[in-house]
Amino acid sequence: DFLLNQRQVFQSNITSMIGLGGDIRGVLAIHCPAVVAKNITSGFLGMEVTQLDDDVKDAIGEIANMVAGNLKVAYGKISLNIELAIPTSIVGESINVNVCGASKAERIIVPLKMAGEIFWIELMYMPN
């Protein structure tokens, strides 16, 4: 089940974000616990990954890029132009993402499960 316009605290060790511009402004973020991020990266690289290193940041950033790219295509079909920034990945124990104007933004959070662990895709946006 996805969540609309609710404040959510993520148990995340890595977050990759892509800024959105054009006809909307906001951010698309992927929030992952360490185990999920390492599993995704291991699948991409075809080898076991044991640390939250630059390869993990790149892999989760690429997931964010793929999701944002599909979002751009979907919005394009309804004549909305979306511009995408370069992904930024942050690793840490207690990550709090605050976007300017977040209290007025639409917010969609989709929890996903991989290997028994949950990670989240978050879209926070406002019309421009």
Side-chain angles (χ1 to χ4, degrees), residues 7-55:
R7 181 88 174 118
Q8 176 76 29
V9 175
F10 302 104
Q11 297 301 316
S12 174
N13 299 104
I14 183 167
T15 294
S16 283
M17 300 170 286
I18 294 183
L20 307 172
D23 291 336
I24 66 169
R25 67 179 185 265
V27 67
L28 179 119
I30 309 292
H31 306 282
C32 293
V35 66
V36 172
K38 290 186 281 188
N39 282 339
I40 289 170
T41 307
S42 293
F44 275 4
L45 298 178
M47 59 186 233
E48 185 179 1
V49 173
T50 59
Q51 296 181 37
L52 293 178
D53 58 14
D54 286 341
D55 288 335

Side-chain angles (χ1 to χ4, degrees), residues 80-96:
L80 286 174
N81 177 44
I82 306 299
E83 300 297 325
L84 305 176
I86 296 170
T88 300
S89 296
I90 302 166
V91 174
E93 292 298 318
S94 180
I95 300 169
N96 183 11

